[in-house]
Amino acid sequence: MASRFRSREALTGYAFVLPAVALFAIMGLYTVGYGLALSFARWNGFTPTWTWVGLGNYLDLIYRDPAIAPVVQGAALRTLVVMIAVPMLTVLVSFPLAAALNHITRLRSTFRTVFFLPQVTAGIALFYAWTYALQPDGSLNYILRHLGLGSIAQPQGWLGNPGTALPTLIVVMVLGSVPVAMLLYLTGLQSIDQSVLDAAKVDGAGGLRAMTSIIWPLLLPITGAVVMLNLRFALQDFQTFLLMTNGGPGGHTLVLGLESYNLAFVSGFKPTLGLSSALGWILFVVALLLAALNLRLLRSRA
């Protein structure tokens, strides 16, 4: 009797789980497998059959195709710049900001809400607001001219100048990443045992010494998480570049994520879906390696 009851209970559990498993198998495993198979083929999305090319798509992206490889190499270099700048600047901005908020006793919640507000605002709305502010007659140039800094203003707009377009987008990405990083650091600062800081003060450690020798080492796991999140964001993000510059001017803001999108959806009837899938898998492998490296570094410090 007990075994029959357990069998019925197990069947009931399987019945509840089965729809979710089936949905994951269709939308997850099937999609991933389909994309992996497509990366070894040449197809434009309309013909009834694929042309299998094996590793040809990967070789074309890396060096073999004289039309595609230089574009991908340039996009890879710009992606690397973004991957270095965004995590580094996010840490440099968010950690001092969190430390300042941690010392504020009044209106801390208000300031925290103000700083976090951009994170809960629709991303597309923010991108279009930034695009408007950075235009030749936008608010940024207007403010600079009225402050007597007209020489810094960009007559063609901050996104229209090849020399300022990519740095400007990096700043926009950093400002979008700071709220979450700031909250993570603020949570870490508030979880530090006050007796540790009091002992350091008794031993003669000043504020700067305590910050560099005690607080910062204790927050290294949070720094690792912040860096990892922003590395993934910088590596795979394309909507910022798509909505604000679409890779312009002259391809100076074309990154790998946007190039993968272009190969899939902006190449007309050219058989580049396989190239797009291959580039996506390259990005996935790089992200996986970065995650493994980050995990190993965190374990070595534990």
Side-chain angles (χ1 to χ4, degrees), residues 202-223:
V202 170
D203 290 338
L208 181 61
R209 179 70 182 210
M211 183 68 69
T212 56
S213 300
I214 298 175
I215 297 176
W216 177 252
L218 289 174
L219 295 182
L220 278 180
I222 294 179
T223 301

Side-chain angles (χ1 to χ4, degrees), residues 115-236:
F115 285 122
F116 195 73
L117 190 61
Q119 189 67 29
V120 298
T121 306
I124 293 179
L126 280 177
F127 294 146
Y128 280 119
W130 274 113
T131 302
Y132 174 76
L134 296 168
Q135 287 179 353
D137 56 350
S139 56
L140 181 56
N141 277 344
Y142 177 84
I143 293 172
L144 290 173
R145 292 189 182 106
H146 280 74
L147 290 176
L149 300 173
S151 59
I152 302 177
Q154 300 296 319
Q156 66 271 58
W158 291 83
L159 299 177
N161 184 348
T164 60
L166 187 60
T168 301
L169 289 180
I170 290 174
V171 171
V172 171
M173 294 174 69
V174 169
L175 293 177
S177 302
V178 161
V180 171
M182 179 201 67
L183 284 185
L184 290 174
Y185 276 123
L186 187 59
T187 302
L189 288 169
Q190 293 174 350
S191 66
I192 295 176
D193 191 349
Q194 185 62 36
S195 62
V196 176
L197 301 178
D198 292 339
K201 188 179 296 185
V202 170
D203 290 338
L208 181 61
R209 179 70 182 210
M211 183 68 69
T212 56
S213 300
I214 298 175
I215 297 176
W216 177 252
L218 289 174
L219 295 182
L220 278 180
I222 294 179
T223 301
V226 170
V227 170
M228 188 61 217
L229 287 172
N230 284 280
L231 276 176
R232 182 202 60 80
F233 172 54
L235 176 66
Q236 298 179 333

